[in-house]
Amino acid sequence: MAEAAIDTNLDDHTIEDTTNVNPDTDEPVYEEVGPTDDPPAPQDEDPTAPPTDKLPPPEIIWSDRTYTLGQLTEESGNLQRVCRFSEAPGKGNLYPGLKIYSEQPVWLHSKYTKRQVKARTIYKDKDGAYFEVGQTLLIPDDFQGWFELVPPDFTRARCCKDIAEVASVMPKKIFTRTRLRGIRIVQEGDEQSYLERKVSAGSILRVEGTFSAKWRTSAETGVMKKKSKNWTTEEEQYLKCLDKDGKEVMIPYKQKGKFNIIYEKGSKDSRCILHMKDIVSNFTLPLKVRLLFGKAPVNPCIFTGMMVLKSHSLCESIVGSTASNRRNVLFELPLDLPCVVEVVENERESCCHKKAYKDSKKLCHMYASPYSSLIKLSPEMDTDQQLYQHIPTAKAKRGADDSLQTLDLITNISLTDGPVDTFIQETSDTESIQSADQSGAAIKGSLVELKEITTDRSQDDATLC
């Protein structure tokens, strides 16, 4: 903000000439006016202008008492304030990935307790060999991504290739990796019509049943002149599903694409995809998985999506942000980190006016919770780990789907550029299109009959890899 300019220059003489007019002669009369005791008239000032003395803000006063991170969370009022952490004497060195945030003001926001999985990326080199690369990855069990189990030959896991295949299994939920076009039946009195619906890739659909519909279509006959209409009846089978908003969509059996079954406890279908919490709860580690849908690590690293899960443990941590930089970033402190913490005694006077302080609070308020659920790199920065080679137990099949390319993402969460979201849009469909307005609909004509096909839900006998 620009400072308000106030003119403080005074005139050199203290006596000023003023001019009056004699009412009788209309001639000017000169009088001397001396100094007066009256106070000067007040001047308008900008209330937002900084003080003219430009005094520096008071220095930060750190508390004499020090805390461990565990003590800090146990005492009320010590979180969501400016702190400073440093190495605890005789307790060992801080992890390199956290030492860069020590000895400076940071905003410690909130504590989280969740199970955390340690993993490493598997990379396929140009000779076809598979190696573990990079430093350890930390994956929280509430990470909102979908994983497939890697087959023994390291190819892509199976998936349903059309809706007819999904209907033969009749799972409870499916995940669509393909954009879909379906219909929604509308009952208006004794007549039925339909709306076309579009379902975006990345949607989860609940399977409700199968239906058969009869459509009446017409075609004009005659080569040179259109003489008459020939009416025909066409039958189509549909899988009825509900999206995340509970809206109905009926998808034709002939719709092709890639569809995965959402894992249910006890399922043995190799076309299933899982959340990390399902893997931790129902499988024994180590285990090879591939990230099918989700957000890659937020730090610079080589990430192929394929990884080996090593182990898991329950972890408590605090999410915080730097509070004195032009571009603040989030970080995570494990509660068992060997460090000492000091808190600011005069936070209001020394910090509240600073933009970096306000940004750090806003950053944590907006993104601390989603940040705690992301894949992160281990703060140990253990890039010098031993190189392990993984050998497929079967020959890789030709023509395997290798669409997931190696990613080398350099992203972060900050207020300056916002979080980079790699999730596919989760909205279930676009605006419904009236059947009368369609130009390229899959079915053209009027709905004659719609009936439900009763089938028993069955599970595929294929086993999870």
Side-chain angles (χ1 to χ4, degrees):
M1 182 185 300
E3 296 185 2
I6 302 175
D7 186 6
T8 57
N9 293 328
L10 298 177
D11 204 339
D12 291 337
H13 26 277
T14 58
I15 297 178
E16 185 179 286
D17 290 339
T18 61
T19 305
N20 294 324
V21 178
N22 188 329
D24 297 330
T25 62
D26 291 334
E27 294 181 356
V29 178
Y30 297 95
E31 297 180 358
E32 290 186 349
V33 179
T36 176
D37 295 331
D38 295 332
Q43 299 183 17
D44 292 334
E45 294 185 6
D46 183 359
T48 64
T52 55
D53 54 6
K54 297 181 180 180
L55 292 176
E59 293 185 1
I60 293 178
I61 300 176
W62 298 103
S63 60
D64 294 330
R65 180 187 173 185
T66 59
Y67 305 81
T68 64
L69 288 173
Q71 293 171 339
L72 196 73
T73 59
E74 291 170 1
E75 297 188 17
S76 61
N78 281 336
L79 280 184
Q80 298 199 7
R81 63 184 301 177
V82 177
C83 303
R84 178 175 66 180
F85 69 95
S86 56
E87 293 183 356
K91 298 291 184 178
N93 297 328
L94 292 175
Y95 297 137
L98 296 176
K99 192 171 183 179
I100 58 176
Y101 305 117
S102 65
E103 303 291 350
Q104 63 173 294
V106 295
W107 176 265
L108 298 185
H109 185 73
S110 48
K111 171 188 170 184
Y112 295 94
T113 302
K114 54 189 67 178
R115 192 159 292 278
Q116 202 169 65
V117 179
K118 291 185 176 182
R120 284 192 77 194
T121 294
I122 296 179
Y123 175 78
K124 181 180 180 181
D125 68 9
K126 61 182 180 180
D127 297 324
Y130 294 86
F131 294 97
E132 290 182 18
V133 297
Q135 64 196 84
T136 300
L137 300 172
L138 303 178
I139 311 174
D141 61 356
D142 62 344
F143 172 66
Q144 293 302 302
W146 292 105
F147 296 86
E148 63 182 20
L149 302 185
V150 176
D153 59 4
F154 288 13
T155 57
R156 299 304 299 264
R158 295 174 57 206
C159 65
C160 298
K161 295 301 180 66
D162 55 37
I163 292 298
E165 186 179 349
V166 175
S168 68
V169 181
M170 287 299 292
K172 291 184 179 179
K173 294 180 182 180
I174 61 171
F175 176 84
T176 173
R177 296 154 62 178
T178 307
R179 294 179 182 178
L180 302 177
R181 175 175 287 187
I183 61 172
R184 180 165 66 91
I185 305 301
V186 179
Q187 187 76 34
E188 297 176 349
D190 296 333
E191 296 184 357
Q192 286 181 326
S193 60
Y194 67 96
L195 302 174
E196 185 178 271
R197 297 199 61 206
K198 294 179 181 179
V199 180
S200 65
S203 298
I204 297 176
L205 301 176
R206 180 181 294 277
V207 177
E208 291 290 306
T210 57
F211 284 76
S212 176
K214 289 183 179 180
W215 302 90
R216 189 184 185 196
T217 60
S218 64
E220 293 182 336
T221 61
V223 180
M224 302 301 295
K225 295 182 180 180
K226 307 300 181 182
K227 296 180 179 180
S228 62
K229 290 186 176 181
N230 182 26
W231 294 93
T232 61
T233 301
E234 186 175 341
E235 188 170 350
E236 185 83 30
Q237 286 185 306
Y238 295 87
L239 184 70
K240 180 183 176 182
C241 301
L242 299 179
D243 64 11
K244 66 182 181 66
D245 298 321
K247 294 182 180 179
E248 173 190 286
V249 57
M250 298 180 65
I251 310 169
Y253 271 28
K254 63 184 180 183
Q255 173 75 64
K256 296 186 179 297
K258 292 183 179 180
F259 312 98
N260 286 95
I261 298 167
I262 302 298
Y263 175 81
E264 295 284 340
K265 188 173 182 179
S267 174
K268 296 182 179 180
D269 198 311
S270 60
R271 292 165 292 192
C272 286
I273 57 173
L274 311 89
H275 277 314
M276 185 54 64
K277 64 180 179 181
D278 300 319
I279 297 173
V280 170
S281 303
N282 299 289
F283 294 86
T284 302
L285 304 186
L287 185 68
K288 297 179 185 68
V289 300
R290 182 181 283 110
L291 180 62
L292 177 69
F293 180 86
K295 188 176 179 64
V298 298
N299 299 97
C301 68
I302 296 175
F303 184 74
T304 65
M306 182 175 172
M307 64 197 88
V308 54
L309 308 181
K310 302 278 193 174
S311 62
H312 62 81
S313 59
L314 193 65
C315 299
E316 294 179 303
S317 57
I318 299 175
V319 174
S321 166
T322 55
S324 59
N325 301 332
R326 179 175 297 179
R327 184 179 185 271
N328 290 314
V329 296
L330 295 171
F331 60 88
E332 200 170 65
L333 295 176
L335 245 64
D336 58 359
L337 186 71
C339 68
V340 293
V341 185
E342 304 162 90
V343 299
V344 171
E345 297 285 1
N346 61 337
E347 181 175 314
R348 181 178 180 85
E349 296 80 11
S350 61
C351 301
C352 285
H353 66 284
K354 296 180 179 179
K355 184 179 184 301
Y357 167 85
K358 297 175 183 177
D359 285 350
S360 65
K361 291 179 64 176
K362 186 178 179 181
L363 183 63
C364 286
H365 176 73
M366 295 175 63
Y367 300 124
S369 180
Y371 177 81
S372 70
S373 300
L374 295 177
I375 301 177
K376 291 174 281 289
L377 299 183
S378 169
E380 297 180 42
M381 300 181 70
D382 48 354
T383 55
D384 56 348
Q385 296 185 72
Q386 184 176 350
L387 195 65
Y388 291 97
Q389 182 176 0
H390 293 264
I391 301 175
T393 58
K395 185 177 180 180
K397 300 175 183 179
R398 292 186 178 181
D401 183 1
D402 195 21
S403 58
L404 188 60
Q405 302 296 325
T406 300
L407 303 178
D408 191 5
L409 301 181
I410 302 178
T411 60
N412 211 328
I413 291 180
S414 73
L415 290 180
T416 56
D417 53 9
V420 179
D421 190 2
T422 58
F423 282 94
I424 304 174
Q425 284 290 338
E426 294 183 356
T427 52
S428 61
D429 56 66
T430 58
E431 295 182 359
S432 296
I433 305 172
Q434 295 291 338
S435 55
D437 299 332
Q438 294 181 61
S439 57
I443 298 295
K444 294 183 179 180
S446 58
L447 184 64
V448 177
E449 182 185 14
L450 178 69
K451 61 179 180 180
E452 183 174 5
I453 304 172
T454 57
T455 56
D456 295 331
R457 290 181 181 269
S458 61
Q459 291 292 335
D460 195 281
D461 293 332
T463 58
L464 282 166
C465 300

